[in-house]
Amino acid sequence: MPTEIENLNPNVYSKCKERPITKEDIDESIPDPFDTREIFDLIRNINDPEHPLTLEELRVVEEDLIKVHNDCDEVFVNFTPTIPHCSMATLIGLSIRVKLLRSLPPRFKVTVEITPGTHASENAVNKQLADKERVAAAMENKHLAEVINQCIALKEADTGLFVP
């Protein structure tokens, strides 16, 4: 975790309501393709590495910045760092990518990029996030993997425990 916080007073936004479960969601005989809300639900509660807030509360991730193409098994996520020089951008992108790779069927190609024009090092960060070898090497780094796992752990509101 960083020792010096770059954005001391980030804007905090309200969370959207949980998606209601419908009869179609329960019926296993009905095809249920992935949609943008389902992907958003997977990543919205990722913890920010600097603040005790989620990426949704900071509007780093938003449903309308997600694209899902079930016909070609692709998921595309744009994320928006809270400040243009955010040093945590790569870590946030890695957390999103790792969460999706662990949660989605392996047939999906996952692309995670910074929302165009929102970060000073947008191209460099996007290049790192697109490089499968760099992502794999990052996850082999024990300290980095631990930080990413803390970011993607679900915080149980009632107990204060973290659930992987």
Side-chain angles (χ1 to χ4, degrees):
M1 297 293 275
T3 55
E4 186 177 313
I5 296 177
E6 292 179 348
N7 187 0
L8 289 174
N9 295 308
N11 291 329
V12 179
Y13 302 89
S14 60
K15 294 178 135 191
C16 63
K17 294 184 187 229
E18 294 295 324
R19 177 156 86 167
I21 296 175
T22 65
K23 192 172 17 172
E24 290 80 17
D25 293 330
I26 298 170
D27 188 347
E28 295 293 326
S29 66
I30 298 174
D32 184 22
F34 286 92
D35 60 17
T36 58
R37 178 57 192 255
E38 192 165 2
I39 302 303
F40 177 70
D41 285 344
L42 289 171
I43 63 174
R44 66 190 277 199
N45 291 313
I46 292 174
N47 300 298
D48 181 79
E50 288 187 314
H51 300 285
L53 300 164
T54 66
L55 297 186
E56 177 187 19
E57 290 171 313
L58 294 170
R59 273 204 196 145
V60 172
V61 295
E62 297 179 71
E63 185 178 354
D64 56 349
L65 295 177
I66 298 170
K67 293 184 181 89
V68 179
H69 302 288
N70 284 288
D71 53 336
C72 53
D73 297 328
E74 291 181 340
V75 172
F76 185 86
V77 176
N78 273 122
F79 69 100
T80 308
T82 59
I83 56 174
H85 290 76
C86 178
S87 65
M88 298 288 118
T90 304
L91 179 60
I92 291 168
L94 275 171
S95 297
I96 295 168
R97 186 167 168 74
V98 167
K99 175 67 176 176
L100 291 175
L101 290 173
R102 289 181 182 174
S103 302
L104 294 172
R107 71 177 186 267
F108 278 94
K109 177 183 187 261
V110 174
T111 302
V112 176
E113 293 183 350
I114 290 180
T115 305
T118 64
H119 194 274
S121 301
E122 173 187 331
N123 291 334
V125 173
N126 288 344
K127 186 176 179 179
Q128 286 181 311
L129 294 173
D131 189 327
K132 290 179 184 178
E133 290 177 9
R134 282 186 177 184
V135 172
M139 291 310 295
E140 289 177 12
N141 177 313
K142 185 179 176 183
H143 175 70
L144 190 53
E146 189 176 297
V147 173
I148 290 169
N149 286 333
Q150 286 176 351
C151 287
I152 64 177
L154 290 178
K155 188 175 182 181
E156 292 284 334
D158 296 329
T159 63
L161 299 175
F162 284 94
V163 180

